[in-house]
Amino acid sequence: MQTTFSRYRHEWFHNIRGDILSGVVVALALIPEAIGFSVIAGVDPKVGLYASFAIACVAAVVGGRPGMISAATAATAVVMVTLVKEHGLQYLFAATILMGLIQILAGFLKLGRVMRFVSRSVITGFVNALAILIFMAQLPELIGVPSLTYVMIAAGLGIIYLFPYVTKAVPSPLVAIAALTLVAWWTGMDLRTVGDLGELPSALPSFILPDVPLTLETLKIIFPYSVTLAAVGLLESLLTAQIVDDMTDTPSNKSQECLGQGAGNIASALIGGMGGCAMIGQSVINVSSGGRGRLSTFVAGAFLLVLIVALDDLVRIIPMAALVAVMIMVSIGTFSWRSILDLRRNPLPSSVVMLATVVTVVGTHDLAKGVLVGVLLSGVFFAGKVARLFRVTRLDAPGEGEVVYKVEGQIFFASAENFVGAFDFSESVQKVLIDVSQAHLWDITAVGALDKVVVKFRRAGVEVEIVGFNAASADMVDQFALHDKAEREAASATLH
């Protein structure tokens, strides 16, 4: 217990200065994102802003990945559109609470461990696709805008990339936002600002309960949305946690993160916010700006609330060009440029999985679908590879009219057909010995293939003996094999 508390305290206070500064940068970057995602979901901007505050602060305390930023996201916003349109905002709050409860249940069931089944190729494809989507999201601020906008964006990128050569004491994205805001205000440039995105809330959020009837009909309405929101939110959060793990070279508790996401979403709904999850773009900003601990995530959420309530007049004049420059930096830094060179060096299946993930995510704007396609392809390619890791060798036995088949490798659904095809059923022999001491039967398809081999030989009048089962394979055969079933049952009845 003392060790756990010591580690938890370290996660909060080992990098106070860096966490506070990076949290301020993230808070500024969260504003246009939260407003934009509110528009996607069809709700008032304050719903997304309050959500970002609540989810970030609660996840900082309860979550399992220090330094990761969680808030309102596009991935969850697109799921809410139909619910809000057909049933209204109160049902969204109710669905978000149920979403959080499902995620907490997933945490207790240790579902965070499913990340071990996501291959490196899928994660790379996820990262690259997200980098492309982040850049594409900036296109409305790059098309049909005054020429001064491009000058300001270029100046912002120059500050972001060059200022670290002067000093790294202050995050360069924060310097860029402050400098461009000051220049735009001082010169009176006619540029699009944060204030043009929508009305910022002017009061602190208050505690509310969803105004919906507590009936089975309500549950029928919100349950499908809640399950989808919970799954999408956890998928993006766990993938983002893995990416932050790699960026910071530190581990995280994925199941604990499920609990943190669930608690954050419940808190969001109870103050009038929408559901959300981890944000890879803002997480990259946080880590790139020096954020490493829980304090950075908490500061991001808390300072966001200060900005929109107490400093709203200052926030409104921030030019969008400054925030676009930061997000372009994020997209450039997020994309795995090395993966382009690795396309020729990596095995073809790995490259196909990565590209399929990217194409699906970019084509559908749905991260969950892209990752699902990648995981399924990885599974198919893996099964095909393992299926080839077996062989059946025919050997002549010492006795006349006897043949030995030596089986080596993994027998399961993908290799079962080849396993059956490796035997010569037309050969004129009296006895066949099948040696499986170097093989493993994984599933009922493998047992069924063994049944087929034995039955085919016996129909031809050939005696069959199988030797060398390991313990697991023997259990499978005892439970599911059909050959010799009557003899085994009779023997079992005699023993009992």
Side-chain angles (χ1 to χ4, degrees):
M1 181 67 70
Q2 186 174 359
T3 302
T4 301
F5 178 75
S6 177
R7 183 174 65 251
Y8 186 73
R9 184 175 59 185
H10 176 77
E11 291 172 349
W12 271 99
F13 302 117
H14 77 287
N15 183 39
I16 294 177
R17 184 176 176 280
D19 284 348
I20 291 176
L21 291 175
S22 62
V24 170
V25 176
V26 173
L28 292 167
L30 277 173
I31 294 174
E33 298 280 304
I35 295 175
F37 301 149
S38 298
V39 173
I40 292 174
V43 297
D44 191 273
K46 70 179 182 181
V47 176
L49 291 165
Y50 286 163
S52 296
F53 152 69
I55 297 171
C57 289
V58 174
V61 177
V62 188
R65 174 61 262 178
M68 186 172 74
I69 305 299
S70 298
T73 62
T76 54
V78 295
V79 180
M80 305 170 186
V81 177
T82 305
L83 177 62
V84 173
K85 186 180 296 185
E86 295 182 357
H87 300 283
L89 188 60
Q90 295 300 319
Y91 279 85
L92 172 61
F93 296 152
T96 303
I97 291 175
L98 182 56
M99 166 194 180
L101 292 174
I102 293 171
Q103 291 178 326
I104 289 174
L105 177 62
F108 282 120
L109 294 176
K110 307 293 184 183
L111 294 187
R113 292 178 294 187
V114 301
M115 275 304 297
R116 70 184 67 177
F117 300 109
V118 180
S119 69
R120 175 60 55 185
S121 298
V122 175
I123 294 177
T124 302
F126 170 81
V127 169
N128 288 347
L130 206 49
I132 294 171
L133 291 181
I134 290 171
F135 182 81
M136 290 174 63
Q138 312 312 310
L139 293 180
E141 303 296 334
L142 297 170
I143 299 174
V145 295
S147 55
L148 275 175
T149 301
Y150 303 114
V151 176
M152 292 289 276
I153 292 174
L157 288 171
I159 294 172
I160 288 170
Y161 286 111
L162 297 177
F163 189 78
Y165 291 103
V166 178
T167 178
K168 294 184 179 179
V170 181
S172 60
L174 180 59
V175 176
I177 293 171
L180 267 59
T181 302
L182 183 61
V183 170
W185 173 77
W186 184 264
T187 60
M189 290 182 182
D190 184 19
L191 296 173
R192 182 171 163 84
T193 65
V194 171
D196 296 326
L197 296 177
E199 188 65 29
L200 298 177
S202 57
L204 292 171
S206 56
F207 178 83
I208 62 168
L209 287 173
D211 185 16
V212 296
L214 299 177
T215 62
L216 185 60
E217 185 63 29
T218 298
L219 182 61
K220 288 180 180 179
I221 292 172
I222 66 173
F223 185 74
Y225 293 98
S226 297
V227 171
T228 304
L229 286 167
V232 170
L234 287 183
L235 179 61
E236 185 166 352
S237 298
L238 294 176
L239 284 169
T240 302
Q242 185 63 52
I243 292 164
V244 177
D245 287 355
D246 295 340
M247 291 180 67
T248 59
D249 195 25
T250 56
S252 62
N253 187 328
K254 305 300 188 297
S255 296
Q256 180 68 34
E257 187 57 44
C258 295
L259 297 173
Q261 293 293 321
N265 281 307
I266 292 173
S268 171
L270 292 177
I271 62 169
M274 59 197 282
C277 60
M279 307 178 75
I280 187 172
Q282 274 64 25
S283 297
V284 170
I285 293 176
N286 190 41
V287 174
S288 301
S289 301
R292 292 293 184 274
R294 295 177 181 271
L295 183 62
S296 62
T297 308
F298 186 85
V299 169
F303 192 62
L304 171 65
L305 187 63
V306 173
L307 286 172
I308 60 179
V309 175
L311 303 177
D312 56 326
D313 290 335
L314 177 61
V315 171
R316 285 190 177 93
I317 67 171
I318 296 176
M320 284 301 299
L323 299 176
V324 169
V326 173
M327 296 314 294
I328 290 176
M329 177 271 292
V330 171
S331 67
I332 293 173
T334 300
F335 194 90
S336 176
W337 299 99
R338 182 181 177 84
S339 65
I340 297 177
L341 299 175
D342 288 341
L343 285 175
R344 296 183 62 183
R345 290 197 293 263
N346 286 344
L348 180 61
S350 297
S351 298
V352 170
V353 168
M354 192 274 285
L355 291 174
T357 304
V358 172
V359 170
T360 305
V361 171
V362 174
T364 64
H365 285 226
D366 190 328
L367 296 168
K369 289 180 181 176
V371 173
L372 180 61
V373 168
V375 170
L376 288 176
L377 278 177
S378 295
V380 170
F381 286 135
F382 176 75
K385 183 177 180 179
V386 175
R388 294 191 295 270
L389 298 178
F390 96 101
R391 63 180 177 177
V392 178
T393 306
R394 180 190 179 283
L395 304 171
D396 289 322
E400 185 178 350
E402 293 186 10
V403 171
V404 176
Y405 284 94
K406 185 176 179 61
V407 184
E408 300 172 275
Q410 314 304 312
I411 314 301
F412 64 114
F413 64 88
S415 58
E417 184 176 350
N418 291 337
F419 170 75
V420 175
F423 294 88
D424 184 1
F425 301 105
S426 62
E427 185 177 12
S428 179
V429 294
Q430 297 176 0
K431 181 177 181 180
V432 169
L433 179 69
I434 303 176
D435 181 1
V436 294
S437 58
Q438 301 299 314
H440 187 92
L441 278 65
W442 284 99
D443 55 17
I444 59 174
T445 306
V447 175
L450 185 62
D451 275 335
K452 187 180 293 186
V453 170
V454 173
V455 170
K456 279 192 172 188
F457 273 125
R458 287 181 176 170
R459 281 177 181 170
V462 178
E463 180 185 349
V464 181
E465 182 181 356
I466 308 171
V467 297
F469 284 122
N470 59 35
S473 298
D475 286 342
M476 289 285 293
V477 170
D478 285 341
Q479 291 184 58
F480 304 110
L482 298 178
H483 69 273
D484 298 337
K485 185 170 180 140
E487 290 84 348
R488 288 200 306 273
E489 289 178 348
S492 177
T494 303
L495 291 173
H496 292 83

